[in-house]
Amino acid sequence: MVLICRRLLTCLPSCQRTYRSVRYNSDGEKAVPTIKDNIYTIPNALSLSRILISPVTAYTVITGQHTLAIALFGAAGITDFLDGQIARRYPSQRSLLGSIIDPIGDKTL
């Protein structure tokens, strides 16, 4: 499993933030530089899956399906660990969106 993830991540293009050159608007003033950030990363997908699994986990707890709730909670914990490790280990997988939705995923769970 680890080899598959490593091979997949090394094949991905570098997706770090790129800054455009400073441009001037029609009044001759400097325009605000834009930042292009890749949102399609593996850690973002894992964080989004954790956010989507949270209501299902809550429903299984309320309906008394505790075994399924524990399994979903464990899967969410594993995705939290994996997205943190991938984002730390591979700089091309870091993103501004990921730094926002990862804490949201933790809090919804």
Side-chain angles (χ1 to χ4, degrees):
M1 179 69 177
V2 174
L3 280 174
I4 294 170
C5 288
R6 282 189 183 173
R7 182 173 294 277
L8 177 65
L9 291 173
T10 55
C11 294
L12 295 174
S14 177
C15 304
Q16 293 182 0
R17 296 180 190 149
T18 56
Y19 296 89
R20 295 174 67 190
S21 61
V22 177
R23 294 186 176 203
Y24 295 92
N25 58 17
S26 60
D27 298 335
E29 298 174 2
K30 281 187 180 180
V32 178
T34 58
I35 299 173
K36 184 178 179 184
D37 196 23
N38 185 16
I39 61 171
Y40 301 109
T41 62
I42 294 171
N44 288 355
L46 292 172
S47 294
L48 184 62
S49 70
R50 195 166 60 250
I51 291 170
L52 296 176
I53 251 178
S54 296
V56 178
T57 305
Y59 177 77
T60 57
V61 169
I62 291 169
T63 59
Q65 301 171 0
H66 299 296
T67 306
L68 181 58
I70 290 172
L72 289 173
F73 190 74
I78 291 170
T79 61
D80 185 30
F81 172 76
L82 286 176
D83 89 52
Q85 288 298 315
I86 292 170
R88 275 188 220 99
R89 191 169 288 173
Y90 301 99
S92 66
Q93 294 294 303
R94 295 181 185 152
S95 70
L96 180 63
L97 179 66
S99 66
I100 295 169
I101 67 170
D102 183 49
I104 291 172
D106 294 340
K107 288 178 177 84
T108 58
L109 194 59

